[in-house]
Amino acid sequence: MKQSRISGLLFVLIFLILPGIRAEETEKKIPAFNVPSWVDDQINAAYERFLAWKGSDQTAVFPLITDVHAARPDFSNPPDFRDTKYHILFVQRAAKKFGADFMADLGDIGFDRDLKWNPSKKEDAKGRLAAQRAIYGQFDLPVLFCMGNHDSGRANGTGFSELRLTCAEYGSMFNGMIKKRGVPLITGPHEDYGYYDLPGKKCRVFFLNTSDINEIGMSDEQIRFLAKGLQVPENTTVVLLQHICLHPVIGRWRSGFPGRMFSNQALCMKILTDFADNQKGSSGSVQWDFTQNKGAALAGSISGDSHFDAQDRVFGVNYITTQGYGTIARPNVPENAVHLDPKGKDARTSSLCVDVVAIKPAKREMMFFRIGIGGQSRDRSFKF
């Protein structure tokens, strides 16, 4: 297949709302490069499966990218497609092909570690964040960002990154950037969580922050926001996106204490269960009442973080993880989860690992179409 070409240089001037970062330090250039033929081959294969499934039904569509953990501050030039920042550009290409409503980035972009997985230096971290903003600054579809546990600079390891981000700084950099384009995101006070109503499709998509207290945890304030936001207009389908899985078992590594709950995790699950059942309830300062919702449905709660595919349905709620680009030692992959290793040490130069989510609200059906590793064998279907 003839290679496509991204012509010229994309110049993006990024102003990070972060102390000590000057404009001249944050200008990033995305090198001109040929899009390799395998990118469009894999996108087109998934797109054909999507078209066959979609038929004439109205469908909400969005690609997910997660856990790129791309430590290199600048874009590799000449391009090295093991640099997963380029894969974000490929997912944007897929979004356009599928006619997506938006794109979602589920977190762990990689600024907190260097190429040897040591804590990052401040200047390298600044450069990596600027590169992330440059990638999305030139993309004209809405993007929803979920803060990952590696997106604060405080993740576990031998030490912390020299650069730390608050939730407000992260929210302003990313979801705030999208809001400034005029996209009507409804957000919390720091823009690190919120929801987006897809125009004309009766679909509300939440983007949550599972690290707004401590490295892992959800604040009471965010849970109250969620409970209020789940009081939806008639016949609305809801989707939740977040970095860390809300299910206490399926998203955990074998070494990660399966069953241990983070702050407000159980409460969040209870609220989702009551949403699915049109119930009401309360816990401490959080109250919810879904008895007036008419025809509302919850397609599922979708997460990254785990570095494998898993799913479970609990009390009428689909909990789903998507593999993305993170690595995991084989002994840590839990039973009934799937992690497909790229074949060969240079596999990132020949394969994506991305799911495109498609939802038919009227039929209460949802599909995940895999672009890249696993292909059709990793497509997944859900009812809700």
Side-chain angles (χ1 to χ4, degrees):
M1 177 181 293
K2 185 177 180 180
Q3 291 186 327
S4 302
R5 180 164 180 80
I6 295 179
S7 59
L9 291 175
L10 299 174
F11 293 93
V12 184
L13 183 62
I14 306 302
F15 294 91
L16 299 182
I17 311 303
L18 199 63
I21 293 184
R22 302 187 303 272
E24 63 269 21
E25 293 177 322
T26 59
E27 182 178 356
K28 285 290 177 181
K29 301 173 184 178
I30 303 175
F33 67 95
N34 289 325
V35 176
S37 59
W38 55 263
V39 171
D40 284 336
D41 289 347
Q42 293 171 20
I43 291 172
N44 290 337
Y47 180 65
E48 291 302 317
R49 302 196 303 275
F50 162 72
L51 287 181
W53 173 81
K54 178 183 182 298
S56 59
D57 295 321
Q58 185 184 68
T59 308
V61 184
F62 54 95
L64 304 170
I65 191 162
T66 189
D67 296 275
V68 295
H69 290 285
R72 191 192 306 262
D74 293 308
F75 296 92
S76 57
N77 191 16
D80 177 349
F81 297 125
R82 289 172 295 183
D83 180 356
T84 47
K85 292 192 292 296
Y86 283 99
H87 288 240
I88 303 174
L89 296 170
F90 300 156
V91 178
Q92 293 174 353
R93 191 176 182 88
K96 294 298 187 68
K97 178 71 175 182
F98 277 74
D101 297 284
F102 67 94
M103 175 179 170
D105 187 319
L106 301 188
D108 276 7
I109 68 175
F111 83 85
D112 67 333
R113 293 292 185 266
D114 66 17
L115 291 170
K116 295 183 179 180
W117 201 244
N118 295 317
S120 60
K121 301 298 183 183
K122 180 176 285 188
E123 293 307 310
D124 287 344
K126 289 179 182 179
R128 176 64 189 91
L129 288 166
Q132 193 78 356
R133 292 252 301 180
I135 290 167
Y136 287 110
Q138 54 80 46
F139 184 55
D140 59 3
L141 287 182
V143 184
L144 308 182
F145 295 91
C146 299
M147 190 174 190
N149 60 305
H150 282 280
D151 293 334
S152 67
R154 298 175 176 85
N156 61 336
T158 58
F160 296 150
S161 167
E162 289 184 356
L163 181 64
R164 318 290 171 78
L165 291 186
T166 66
C167 293
E169 289 165 342
Y170 175 92
S172 177
M173 281 186 200
F174 296 111
N175 293 311
M177 173 177 65
I178 302 303
K179 287 178 70 175
K180 287 177 181 177
R181 297 179 189 170
V183 179
L185 304 184
I186 305 300
T187 65
H190 301 311
E191 302 178 317
D192 56 316
Y193 58 82
Y195 63 81
Y196 177 46
D197 288 332
L198 304 190
K201 292 193 175 180
K202 292 189 175 181
C203 186
R204 176 167 293 180
V205 183
F206 285 85
F207 48 99
L208 302 180
N209 182 359
T210 47
S211 295
D212 76 330
I213 55 171
N214 305 316
E215 183 187 338
I216 303 174
M218 301 176 72
S219 65
D220 288 353
E221 181 180 45
Q222 183 177 185
I223 298 298
R224 287 193 292 270
F225 177 93
L226 173 64
K228 182 177 180 180
L230 286 171
Q231 295 174 322
V232 296
E234 187 172 355
N235 297 324
T236 297
T237 294
V238 169
V239 185
L240 269 68
L241 305 175
Q242 60 279 317
H243 182 65
I244 295 172
C245 186
L246 300 179
H247 191 292
V249 177
I250 66 165
R252 298 293 182 91
W253 293 13
R254 288 183 184 271
S255 61
F257 305 103
R260 180 182 292 182
M261 306 286 274
F262 61 72
S263 179
N264 279 328
Q265 183 176 5
L267 177 57
C268 192
M269 293 183 70
K270 170 60 175 170
I271 290 171
L272 296 185
T273 297
D274 282 354
F275 176 85
D277 290 340
N278 291 101
Q279 299 296 311
K280 63 181 179 179
S282 65
S283 177
S285 66
V286 183
Q287 299 180 350
W288 59 94
D289 185 350
F290 309 126
T291 58
Q292 301 305 305
N293 284 354
K294 304 295 183 183
L298 178 57
S301 169
I302 304 170
S303 308
D305 177 61
S306 303
H307 303 177
F308 52 70
D309 296 335
Q311 61 271 332
D312 193 16
R313 186 172 175 86
V314 180
F315 299 122
V317 180
N318 293 313
Y319 295 93
I320 308 160
T321 67
T322 179
Q323 176 176 323
Y325 286 86
T327 59
I328 183 172
R330 182 60 55 187
N332 274 325
V333 179
E335 186 179 3
N336 299 322
V338 176
H339 174 88
L340 296 182
D341 292 313
K343 295 181 180 178
K345 66 178 182 178
D346 295 326
R348 291 297 181 216
T349 65
S350 61
S351 191
L352 292 154
C353 191
V354 171
D355 284 324
V356 176
V357 181
I359 301 170
K360 294 180 177 180
K363 293 185 175 179
R364 298 198 173 189
E365 298 174 355
M366 177 168 63
M367 279 289 300
F368 280 41
F369 294 96
R370 173 60 55 84
I371 301 176
I373 296 171
Q376 187 171 1
S377 71
R378 292 310 308 147
D379 290 353
R380 291 180 281 173
S381 63
F382 301 90
K383 299 283 190 180
F384 58 90

